[in-house]
Amino acid sequence: MQSAVILIDVEKGQTNGVAQRLAELEGISEVFSTCGRYDLVAIARTRDFESLAQLVTERLMQVEGIHDTETLNAMQVHSRHDLETMFSLGW
């Protein structure tokens, strides 16, 4: 499995719409709106590097409202935590 963190700047007023469209893309597992330098952070998980490359260079770039991206390709996992449990609200 190939994982990446994609940092995304969007056009003014487009954050929610872009987030919704990104969340629908195969290979994007989560999309977070954020404060600070980037408007959105998307987590990508694909079966291999070629699929990740296609997601980032083709499908992601077709989403209207994206101004700029920076992709951080994950090389190694350094946690044994169950991330689903960590981010769960427990309801």
Side-chain angles (χ1 to χ4, degrees):
M1 175 171 286
Q2 192 69 41
S3 299
V5 175
I6 306 169
L7 308 172
I8 304 163
D9 282 327
V10 300
E11 302 294 335
K12 186 175 182 176
Q14 299 286 325
T15 302
N16 290 338
V18 170
Q20 289 294 330
R21 290 188 292 277
L22 289 173
E24 295 172 359
L25 290 178
E26 182 179 341
I28 300 292
S29 59
E30 297 95 16
V31 179
F32 301 95
S33 56
T34 62
C35 299
R37 167 71 181 88
Y38 296 95
D39 302 306
L40 297 171
V41 174
I43 308 300
R45 293 189 174 89
T46 61
R47 67 183 186 288
D48 52 36
F49 183 77
E50 290 76 23
S51 299
L52 178 63
Q54 182 184 38
L55 173 64
V56 172
T57 62
E58 295 176 24
R59 291 186 284 139
L60 194 77
M61 293 298 112
Q62 293 176 359
V63 175
E64 282 196 40
I66 292 178
H67 178 264
D68 195 23
T69 66
E70 183 174 346
T71 301
L72 308 174
N73 194 17
M75 295 172 44
Q76 192 172 19
V77 177
H78 296 278
S79 175
R80 289 188 234 165
H81 294 289
D82 178 356
L83 295 179
E84 176 117 4
T85 301
M86 287 176 59
F87 288 103
S88 171
L89 297 177
W91 296 343

